[in-house]
C-alpha cells in the first residue's frame, strides 16, 4: 500500500461507507474530506466530520500504518495537534495526543474494493510511458478532454511565469518584454540557448533608436552574437564590421558577448541556421511595430501571422551564412515556423498579461488562438497518435506534451481524469462497495 493511493481514496471518498466507525467504535460521518495540503503539516486541511453526535472541523492525517505517526515524529510537532482524524490502512498502534486523549482512527484495509487495489498495482507496476495505453480509446472523450484542459492550463501558467520574470527584469515594460520573448523564440529548438542569451543581453533602447536602419540592427545582432568573422571579406561582411564597431563604441557595448560556440550550425538545416534566423529577426524588428500592442490587440490568426511577416535584406535573400550562397531563394518564415513563434511567444505573453493584470479574457484569447493553430508533429505527439488519440489543434498537442511530461512519465495517473476513470469505472458500475467487504 502506498500513501498516494490512500490520499486518493480519502480525497474522493472511495471506500465503503456502510456502518462507518472509527477503530474506537465511534460512529463516523464525513461531511468534507478537506483540501489536500502539499506544504508542511497534516495532509488534509479544512476537513469536517461527525463523531457520534459531535461535529469536528480540522485536519486529517493519512498514513499506511498508524505507528507512522510516531515514526514521522508528529507527536513532537504542534501542527499535528489540530488533527481530528487519522486515516490509515492498518491500525498497528494506538496514538495519543499531548493531552492524553486517543486520536480517532479510520482503518481502510477492509473497506476498499480489491479491484481498485489490483488496478492500482497494475498501473504503478507498468513500466511503459502510458499506463492507460490499451484502454485510453475506450475512455469517454470528456475524460481525456478534462485531462488535456487541466494540463494545458498548467503549461500556460508555467510559460506565463517565465514571461513574468522577464517582465520584472525590464522594470515592468511590456514592449521590451515582448521583444525579449520573441527574440528567445527565434532560436526555435536548435538555437534556443543562443537566442536566449542574446535576448537577455540586447539593450532595447538601442533597438528603438536604430530600428529604422536595417543594416545597423543586423550589425548589432551579428556583432553581439560573435558571428562577424574577420575572415569574411565580402562587402556586406565589411559593412557589418564597420557598423558594429561604431555601435560598440557609441553605446559602450564591450564587444561581442558571445562566440561561435554558443550557436548550433551542425544538425541544423540551412533554413534553420542562426545567421538566417537573426536576419529574419532583424526584419521583424525593423517593421517598427509595437510587438506587445499587436499581440494584445490582434483579432484574427491572419493578424498574428502578420507579426512575423517581414522584408529581409538583400544579402540574406541569397545567403544562409556569411560568404555562403544558397541555392533556393526561400527566406521568409514558413507557416509552421510562424505558428511555432506564436505558440512560444505570443501565447505565453497573452497568458502572462492575463495573470499580471488579472484579466481573464486574455487567457481565453490565448486558448482560442491555440485552438485555431495546426497540431504540431513531434516524437511525443506521435506516441499519442500511436495509441489512437487524434490531436486536432495546437491546443491538444501542447496539452499532450504537458500531460506526457508531467503526468504520464511521473505516473501521476491518480490525479488524471483518465486514470481516475480507469481505476473506478468498473466498481462504480457495481455501485458502492459491497457490505461483504466490510464484513470480511
Ligand atoms: S497520467 Fe493519465 S493519460 Fe497519462 S498514462 Fe496515466 S492515466 Fe494515462
Amino acid at each position: 500500500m502506498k500513501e498516494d493511493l490512500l490520499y486518493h481514496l480519502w480525497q474522493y471518498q472511495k471506500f465503503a461507507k456502510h456502518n462507518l466507525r472509527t477503530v474506537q467504535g465511534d460512529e463516523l460521518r464525513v461531511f468534507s474530506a478537506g483540501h489536500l495540503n502539499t506544504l508542511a503539516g497534516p495532509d488534509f486541511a479544512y476537513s469536517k466530520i461527525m463523531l457520534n453526535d459531535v461535529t469536528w472541523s480540522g485536519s486529517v492525517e493519512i498514513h499506511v500504518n498508524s505507528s507512522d505517526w510516531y515514526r514521522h515524529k508528529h507527536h513532537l510537532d504542534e501542527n499535528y495537534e489540530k488533527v481530528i482524524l487519522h486515516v490509515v490502512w492498518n491500525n498497528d498502534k494506538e496514538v495519543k495526543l499531548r493531552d492524553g486523549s486517543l486520536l480517532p482512527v479510520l482503518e481502510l484495509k477492509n473497506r476498499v474494493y480489491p479491484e481498485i487495489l489490483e488496478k492500482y498495482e497494475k498501473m504503478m507496476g507498468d513500466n511503459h510511458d502510458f499506463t492507460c495505453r490499451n484502454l485510453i480509446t475506450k475512455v469517454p472523450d470528456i475524460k481525456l478532454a478534462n485531462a488535456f484542459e487541466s494540463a494545458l492550463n498548467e503549461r500556460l501558467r508555467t510559460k506565463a511565469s517565465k514571461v513574468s520574470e522577464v517582465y520584472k527584469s525590464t522594470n515592468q515594460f511590456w514592449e521590451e518584454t515582448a521583444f525579449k520573448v520573441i527574440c528567445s523564440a527565434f532560436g526555435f529548438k536548435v538555437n534556443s540557448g543562443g537566442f536566449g542569451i542574446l535576448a537577455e543581453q540586447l539593450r532595447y533602447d538601442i533597438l528603438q533608436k536604430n530600428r529604422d536602419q536595417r543594416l545597423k540592427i543586423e550589425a548589432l545582432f551579428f556583432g553581439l552574437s560573435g558571428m562577424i568573422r574577420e575572415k569574411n571579406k565580402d562587402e556586406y561582411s565589411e559593412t557589418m564590421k564597420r557598423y558594429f564597431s561604431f555601435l560598440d563604441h557609441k553605446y559602450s557595448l564591450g564587444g561581442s558577448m558571445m562566440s561561435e560556440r554558443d550557436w548550433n550550425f551542425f544538425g541544423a538545416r540551412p533554413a534553420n541556421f542562426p545567421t538566417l534566423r537573426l536576419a529574419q529577426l532583424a526584419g521583424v524588428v525593423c517593421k517598427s511595430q509595437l510587438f506587445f500592442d499587436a499581440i494584445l490587440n490582434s483579432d484574427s490568426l491572419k493578424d498574428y501571422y502578420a507579426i512575423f511577416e517581414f522584408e529581409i535584406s538583400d544579402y540574406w535573400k541569397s545567403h544562409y551564412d556569411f560568404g555562403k550562397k544558397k541555392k533556393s531563394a526561400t527566406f521568409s518564415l514558413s507557416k509552421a515556423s510562424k505558428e511555432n513563434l506564436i505558440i512560444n511567444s505570443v501565447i505565453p505573453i497573452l497568458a502572462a498579461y492575463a495573470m499580471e493584470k488579472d484579466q481573464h479574457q486574455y487567457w481565453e484569447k490565448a486558448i482560442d488562438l491555440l485552438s485555431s493553430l495546426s497540431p504540431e508533429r513531434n516524437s511525443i505527439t506521435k506516441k499519442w497518435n500511436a495509441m489512437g488519440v487524434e490531436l486536432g489543434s495546437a491546443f491538444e498537442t501542447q496539452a499532450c506534451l504537458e500531460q506526457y511530461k508531467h503526468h504520464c512519465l511521473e505516473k501521476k495517473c491518480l490525479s488524471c481524469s483518465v486514470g481516475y476513470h480507469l481505476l473506478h469505472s468498473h466498481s462504480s458500475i457495481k455501485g458502492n462497495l459491497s457490505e461483504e467487504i466490510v464484513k470480511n
Side-chain angles (χ1 to χ4, degrees):
M1 175 50 60
K2 296 246 171 66
E3 267 184 15
D4 63 346
L5 178 59
L6 291 177
Y7 294 151
H8 175 87
L9 295 170
W10 174 256
Q11 186 171 16
Y12 297 103
Q13 296 289 290
K14 290 290 180 184
F15 49 87
K17 296 282 184 48
H18 171 80
N19 191 21
L20 195 60
R21 287 183 182 275
T22 64
V23 296
Q24 291 89 355
D26 295 322
E27 197 181 326
L28 171 65
R29 283 177 67 194
V30 181
F31 296 128
S32 167
H35 304 309
L36 182 63
N37 172 31
T38 50
L39 305 172
D43 297 321
F44 284 83
Y46 308 109
S47 310
K48 198 170 173 187
I49 59 170
M50 185 185 266
L51 286 173
N52 295 328
D53 291 331
V54 183
T55 303
W56 296 80
S57 296
S59 305
V60 167
E61 180 64 6
I62 311 264
H63 284 127
V64 175
N65 294 307
S66 56
S67 56
D68 292 340
W69 181 274
Y70 291 105
R71 209 164 55 81
H72 296 169
K73 301 205 176 351
H74 295 335
H75 60 295
L76 303 175
D77 185 341
E78 64 182 17
N79 284 321
Y80 288 82
E81 285 298 298
K82 57 192 174 201
V83 171
I84 54 173
L85 184 67
H86 197 192
V87 177
V88 302
W89 182 252
N90 176 39
N91 182 47
D92 63 340
K93 189 177 177 72
E94 214 170 52
V95 170
K96 281 190 179 162
L97 295 174
R98 287 185 188 188
D99 63 4
S101 61
L102 278 182
L103 181 60
V105 179
L106 170 64
E107 189 184 54
L108 292 183
K109 74 178 171 199
N110 292 322
R111 292 188 167 272
V112 180
Y113 200 73
E115 187 190 346
I116 292 180
L117 300 178
E118 277 164 32
K119 284 183 185 172
Y120 174 76
E121 289 299 327
K122 252 191 196 162
M123 264 186 183
M124 295 305 125
D126 189 338
N127 286 329
H128 194 277
D129 292 357
F130 297 96
T131 56
C132 60
R133 64 193 175 285
N134 295 326
L135 294 166
I136 196 160
T137 51
K138 297 190 176 73
V139 170
D141 291 350
I142 185 74
K143 304 293 176 192
L144 187 57
N146 285 344
F148 275 2
E149 189 181 338
S150 117
L152 196 273
N153 280 314
E154 229 172 275
R155 188 169 183 85
L156 269 192
R157 274 194 295 276
T158 308
K159 288 192 169 198
S161 301
K162 288 185 185 157
V163 174
S164 290
E165 278 169 29
V166 179
Y167 176 58
K168 285 183 190 92
S169 76
T170 62
N171 285 328
Q172 308 192 335
F173 182 23
W174 280 113
E175 280 301 340
E176 184 173 357
T177 302
F179 165 72
K180 285 183 182 288
V181 174
I182 287 173
C183 177
S184 297
F186 253 86
F188 293 83
K189 209 173 173 183
V190 191
N191 278 294
S192 56
F195 274 84
I197 298 170
L198 187 65
E200 271 176 31
Q201 308 289 342
L202 271 167
R203 273 175 47 193
Y204 190 67
D205 61 315
I206 304 178
L207 282 184
Q208 285 296 79
K209 285 179 194 142
N210 295 281
R211 72 192 317 164
D212 57 343
Q213 297 177 70
R214 167 74 61 94
L215 289 176
K216 282 195 182 159
I217 293 293
E218 289 178 4
L220 183 67
F221 287 0
F222 290 125
L224 290 176
S225 307
M227 287 192 194
I228 303 178
R229 306 161 196 125
E230 212 32 63
K231 65 178 183 191
N232 296 122
K233 301 284 183 198
D234 61 20
E235 192 186 335
Y236 177 79
S237 302
E238 293 300 334
T239 307
M240 290 292 105
K241 286 176 204 168
R242 216 170 45 251
Y243 277 163
F244 182 63
S245 163
F246 166 79
L247 292 166
D248 190 11
H249 180 72
K250 183 172 179 183
Y251 297 110
S252 308
L253 298 176
S256 299
M257 62 186 65
M258 298 172 75
S259 74
E260 295 231 23
R261 282 195 305 277
D262 294 311
W263 302 102
N264 263 331
F265 284 84
F266 298 110
R269 286 179 297 113
N272 255 332
F273 272 18
T275 35
L276 199 52
R277 292 295 187 210
L278 280 171
Q280 290 168 337
L281 179 63
V284 171
V285 167
C286 292
K287 275 167 67 181
S288 297
Q289 64 180 180
L290 294 169
F291 290 128
F292 180 65
D293 190 59
I295 288 170
L296 217 57
N297 297 315
S298 292
D299 280 326
S300 66
L301 190 51
K302 208 168 146 235
D303 292 341
Y304 283 109
Y305 286 149
I307 296 174
F308 301 106
E309 279 156 13
F310 50 84
E311 267 296 310
I312 204 163
S313 58
D314 288 343
Y315 186 81
W316 295 105
K317 284 179 184 166
S318 54
H319 293 76
Y320 56 86
D321 194 1
F322 286 93
K324 291 181 184 160
K325 288 213 168 206
K326 60 183 175 185
K327 288 178 195 139
S328 81
T330 317
F331 47 81
S332 56
L333 291 165
S334 65
K335 180 170 172 265
S337 295
K338 283 180 201 160
E339 295 202 342
N340 187 302
L341 288 166
I342 293 172
I343 290 170
N344 291 307
S345 61
V346 169
I347 283 162
I349 290 167
L350 283 171
Y353 187 74
M355 268 171 51
E356 288 287 340
K357 301 290 175 191
D358 202 14
Q359 296 208 21
H360 195 69
Q361 70 268 31
Y362 292 103
W363 192 272
E364 291 297 322
K365 193 169 184 160
I367 289 192
D368 289 348
L369 188 52
L370 263 182
S371 306
S372 65
L373 296 173
S374 325
E376 302 146 273
R377 273 185 67 75
N378 51 49
S379 59
I380 314 256
T381 61
K382 282 182 198 159
K383 284 177 194 265
W384 287 89
N385 293 151
M387 288 194 296
V389 176
E390 295 295 329
L391 303 164
S393 69
F395 176 103
E396 291 182 342
T397 49
Q398 285 286 295
C400 86
L401 292 178
E402 184 76 15
Q403 182 73 11
Y404 175 74
K405 208 166 153 198
H406 297 295
H407 295 266
C408 308
L409 284 185
E410 292 179 16
K411 292 244 181 297
K412 290 187 182 162
C413 304
L414 290 182
S415 55
C416 157
S417 46
V418 174
Y420 180 100
H421 179 81
L422 292 175
L423 198 63
H424 298 294
S425 56
H426 190 224
S427 42
S428 68
I429 293 165
K430 283 190 169 183
N432 223 334
L433 301 178
S434 62
E435 287 180 27
E436 284 77 357
I437 301 172
V438 181
K439 282 178 198 156
N440 285 339

